Amino acid sequence: MDNLIEIRWHGRGGQGAKTASLLLADAAFNTGKYIQGFPEYGPERMGAPITAYNRISRDPITIHSNIYEPDYVVVVDDTLLETVDVTAGLKETGGIVINTTKSENYLKTVLKGYQGNIYTIDARKISEEALGKYFPNTPMLAAIIKVSGIMSDEALLADMRDSFKHKFAKKPEVIDGNMKALELALKEVKKI
């Protein structure tokens, strides 16, 4: 499948990596793409490492397995960089998006010579500024969409506004903060 994009998410339970992967799947579906979005976890608890996946394509997806050679990896929690091989199977034609404020030298060392594109974003700063609390999944969702080009910024923002209206129907006061987090992340993700 030439136009298939595969994404692997690494996070910790409670940080929203699974939710972000499902939101990405919904947004891509709403732009007419075929999608898969699924988590992989066992009996983990809050704070334990989790993995989630996305497949996105213009054509029907016939693969039904975990993703072993992703085009992109999203790391929601940079403490995983030293304990999980986040670049395992990662294609050098893709890239990795990391929620971090760590130095470029540190990242290149801990990523064990990964030669593909490395992108960073400070999702903590963005979510605390936009939402008043630390919810890294919304900025990370925007960052991977910006980096991968799955859809335009405008399509993302329009789709997510509708999604948030539904998701937060009983808490409409959080919609504007989540939209601000998306907008900031689209501007602040950077390649190192």
Side-chain angles (χ1 to χ4, degrees):
M1 297 183 73
D2 291 338
N3 62 41
L4 178 68
I5 295 174
E6 294 182 313
I7 301 168
R8 185 174 64 221
W9 297 73
H10 292 279
R12 293 190 181 276
Q15 292 178 325
K18 178 184 102 169
T19 300
S21 76
L22 297 176
L23 286 170
L24 173 57
D26 286 345
F29 177 79
N30 291 336
T31 64
K33 294 186 174 69
Y34 292 89
I35 56 93
Q36 290 179 354
F38 54 98
E40 173 188 50
Y41 48 42
E44 289 87 9
R45 291 187 278 253
M46 185 80 78
I50 67 110
T51 309
Y53 304 93
N54 288 108
R55 283 192 180 94
I56 300 166
S57 178
R58 289 188 308 267
D59 300 318
I61 301 170
T62 57
I63 304 165
H64 299 285
S65 66
N66 284 350
I67 294 171
Y68 301 103
E69 295 181 351
D71 298 289
Y72 297 96
V73 166
V74 181
V75 180
V76 180
D77 186 323
D78 66 0
T79 65
L80 294 170
L81 296 173
E82 294 186 16
T83 59
V84 175
D85 185 2
V86 297
T87 59
L90 178 57
K91 295 175 184 168
E92 293 188 358
T93 55
I96 186 168
V97 182
I98 307 167
N99 172 19
T100 192
T101 58
K102 303 253 196 273
S103 73
E104 180 177 341
N105 288 337
Y106 168 82
L107 294 174
K108 288 186 175 183
T109 299
V110 79
L111 293 176
K112 301 174 184 143
Y114 174 68
Q115 296 296 308
N117 294 321
I118 302 169
Y119 301 88
T120 62
I121 186 165
D122 186 349
R124 176 178 296 278
K125 181 186 81 151
I126 291 169
S127 65
E128 288 177 351
E129 177 182 331
L131 299 162
K133 292 183 180 177
Y134 181 48
F135 295 111
N137 60 336
T138 301
M140 297 308 290
L141 170 63
I144 189 58
I145 288 176
K146 184 70 167 187
V147 166
S148 66
I150 291 168
M151 67 183 69
S152 70
D153 296 359
E154 296 76 22
L156 168 68
L157 294 173
D159 185 80
M160 293 312 299
R161 181 165 293 283
D162 290 341
S163 178
F164 289 155
K165 283 180 185 175
H166 176 72
K167 181 177 176 153
F168 299 123
K170 294 187 179 184
K171 296 190 290 183
E173 66 277 7
V174 302
I175 295 171
D176 287 342
N178 276 283
M179 292 304 299
K180 182 178 180 184
L182 290 171
E183 291 166 4
L184 289 171
L186 289 169
K187 294 176 191 164
E188 293 189 24
V189 63
K190 61 184 180 281
K191 183 177 177 182
I192 62 168

